[in-house]
Each structure stands twice: as structure tokens, then as C-alpha cells.
Amino acid sequence: MAMSTTSSSLSSLSSLSLHPSPRLSILPFTAAATPATKPRKPISLLLSSSRPTTVIFNAAAADVETSFFDNEDPEFDGVFEPPEAPEDFVPPPSFDEDSTETEDEIAAAYEELYGPAYSGVTMLGNDIYVMDSKVKKLGAFGKLKKEKVRDGFEERVVQVRRVTKVVKGGKQLHFRAIVVVGDKQGNVGVGVGKAKEVIGAVQKSAVNARRNIISVPMTKYLTFPHRSEGDYGAAKVMLRPASPGTGVIAGGSVRIVLEMAGVENALGKQLGSKNALNNARATVVAVQKMRQFRDVARERGIPMEELWK
């Protein structure tokens, strides 16, 4: 029976002739490796009998020896044996054994990864309004609306005037704005800007004022340490300290500068031109001349009590 099966297999395979094309071969093709010059290579086939049967093909391009195994069971379930752990291996702690994190620690970790949350509360001291600047808000006529800078400074418009520039083709109309910014804690700045629209002029002057921030020396009663005078152009301003409860007795742009600086008790007087911009800058010049008593005592190398002797 085995011999008949083998003979029938040989007769069926003898009619097969393998002539692989060089374009379809997986091996590099050479001109010398042709069916006429390449010797025949025996190929082993394992049929139903226990001994393999060798069949000779016309293997021209590749010398392949193929064996078919029919006694393998594809449904065989093998047993997996994991490797043994080394001697110095220490297993990691379990997830449930770690200490439970608090809600604040989870919120801080989340904020460190993804930034400040939208809840308006920060655990790491970040700016909670950082996402507001990325939201595009449209104002009137579909124009992009600019948000105010939230840096702790307040803005107050002193004056807005319409100015005209005469050019060759006619007149150019612009608006000039004077803005004073301050945090009411001793920092104040005066700025001026010009644009074709009032809003643009105010924004430019606010930016210019933030670039010229100065520090105002004050006592614990929120007044000046001593009297001072300042002038800018034709404007001249006189500043005097006042007792608690007096308030700010000044007018024009001098009063606005002192209020934005946080001064609550002071006397001011304009002694020259009534120009708002020059008086505001003259007030800044007068403030810059003031010095604290402790700074003067430190420079002289004497205690503060010696200053009044």
C-alpha cells in the first residue's frame, strides 16, 4: 500500500517542471544560473510513510530543500513555563499599598501636567487667566476685541484731544490720549499715545505708561516724607505732606497721579502752565526728587535719630 502511494505521488510530480522566472525569484538573478547549466538538486518530501521521499525538480534559480511534516498536531496545547527569578530580585510594591493621595496633591499634579485648571483655583501659584488671552472675542463690526492686561495696574484717562496734522494732500486727523496707570501701592506711570481712533490711542498710551513706571516714597500715613517741587517745560508743581485725614488736595492731572500712586494725604499745587501732560510729568519729576529718611541715614552712616538733631 505504501509503495503504491509513493509511486502514484512520483508519477504526479514527475509531470511538474519548475521553470522560475528571474523577475519572480527571491534570489539574485545571474546570467550564468540558467536551467541549462544548473545541475538538478534533490528535494525531500515526507509523505504518509515514516521515511522521507526525495523528488528531483528542475530547480534552476534556487536550491531549495523542502520537507512536509504531516505528523504535527496544530491543536496541541503547550504548557508555558516562565523563567525563574534571579536571587536578588525584589518584587515592586503593590498599587494598593501606596499612601492615598489627597485632592490637593492630585490637583497640583494635574496642573503641573496640563496647566492651570478652568476652575479659577491654582495650586502652584500660576496665572488662572492664562487661557483668556487665547480666546478670540469679537467686538463691534466683527473686529477682534483686545482684552485688558491683568497685571495689577489700573488705568485712568486724563485727557483725549483731537489733533490735526497738515500734509501736502490736506489734513490728517488723529486722537491723542494721556493715561495714568498705577497699582495704588506706590507705583505709577504717565504715558501718551496717538492714533486714528480713540481706543487705539488709549491702548498705546497705556503701554507707554507701563514702560515708565516709577516708585513713590511714602510714610506709614500714606503721605510724602518731605516737600518737593518739580517742573517740566513751562509747568511747575509743588507737593507737600499732610496729616492723616486730610486727603488729596490737588487738581487736574496732579490729583490723578497721586491717587493712582496710592497717596491718601497730600497737598499739591500747579504753579505754571495748565497743560495736563506737562503737569503730570512735572508731578513725576517732583516725586523722583523725594527720598526716604532711612535711605539718607544709610548713605550718611548715622542712625535715623541723628537726622532731626
Side-chain angles (χ1 to χ4, degrees):
M1 184 66 181
M3 294 297 295
S4 61
T5 305
T6 305
S7 60
S8 62
S9 302
L10 291 175
S11 60
S12 60
L13 293 174
S14 62
S15 61
L16 299 177
S17 178
L18 300 179
H19 300 283
S21 175
R23 297 175 59 185
L24 302 179
S25 176
I26 62 174
L27 298 178
F29 175 75
T30 56
T34 56
T37 59
K38 190 71 176 181
R40 295 182 178 182
K41 192 74 174 181
I43 298 177
S44 300
L45 296 177
L46 184 63
L47 303 179
S48 59
S49 60
S50 59
R51 296 190 304 172
T53 303
T54 303
V55 182
I56 299 176
F57 290 95
N58 292 329
D63 299 339
V64 183
E65 203 172 293
T66 307
S67 299
F68 298 94
F69 299 92
D70 295 339
N71 55 357
E72 295 291 337
D73 186 8
E75 298 181 356
F76 174 72
D77 295 335
V79 179
F80 175 72
E81 297 181 359
E84 297 181 358
E87 298 179 357
D88 56 348
F89 175 74
V90 178
S94 177
F95 178 78
D96 299 334
E97 296 179 1
D98 295 339
S99 60
T100 306
E101 296 178 343
T102 61
E103 295 184 0
D104 295 344
E105 294 177 349
I106 296 175
Y110 182 87
E111 183 178 351
E112 185 176 359
L113 292 175
Y114 304 104
Y118 290 92
S119 59
V121 180
T122 176
M123 307 301 297
L124 303 178
N126 295 325
D127 184 14
I128 60 177
Y129 303 104
V130 67
M131 298 301 297
D132 295 347
S133 60
K134 301 180 182 180
V135 179
K136 295 184 178 180
K137 298 182 180 181
L138 299 180
F141 307 104
K143 294 184 179 179
L144 187 62
K145 183 179 179 181
K146 294 185 179 180
E147 292 291 331
K148 292 185 178 180
V149 181
R150 302 185 181 183
D151 54 357
F153 286 92
E154 298 181 11
E155 302 176 4
R156 186 177 297 183
V157 180
V158 177
Q159 186 186 74
V160 176
R161 276 192 174 182
R162 186 179 63 181
V163 294
T164 305
K165 180 181 180 182
V166 180
V167 294
K168 182 178 180 181
K171 296 182 178 180
Q172 292 182 353
L173 180 64
H174 292 81
F175 293 94
R176 189 195 69 171
I178 304 173
V179 175
V180 178
V181 299
D183 58 356
K184 295 185 178 181
Q185 295 180 0
N187 297 316
V188 68
V190 179
V192 61
K194 186 169 61 174
K196 294 184 178 181
E197 297 180 359
V198 177
I199 299 177
V202 172
Q203 292 176 352
K204 286 184 178 180
S205 57
V207 173
N208 182 255
R210 284 179 170 83
R211 295 175 181 173
N212 301 298
I213 298 294
I214 65 169
S215 180
V216 180
M218 292 186 294
T219 63
K220 63 179 180 179
Y221 301 109
L222 299 179
T223 187
F224 300 125
H226 57 85
R227 61 177 61 189
S228 177
E229 294 181 359
D231 54 352
Y232 189 91
K236 186 176 181 180
V237 173
M238 177 185 63
L239 300 179
R240 298 288 186 269
S243 59
T246 305
V248 178
I249 301 178
S253 57
V254 179
R255 181 183 185 91
I256 298 177
V257 173
L258 297 182
E259 288 180 351
M260 298 303 293
V263 179
E264 296 184 0
N265 304 292
L267 302 175
K269 181 64 178 177
Q270 299 178 5
L271 301 176
S273 173
K274 302 299 180 182
N275 184 276
L277 179 60
N278 287 350
N279 277 284
R281 290 179 172 174
T283 306
V284 172
V285 172
V287 167
Q288 288 179 329
K289 293 181 180 179
M290 296 182 183
R291 303 172 65 188
Q292 293 283 11
F293 291 111
R294 57 177 176 270
D295 297 336
V296 177
R298 187 186 306 111
E299 291 180 1
R300 296 183 182 181
I302 60 177
M304 292 182 58
E305 292 78 8
E306 296 291 335
L307 296 176
W308 288 276
K309 290 183 178 181

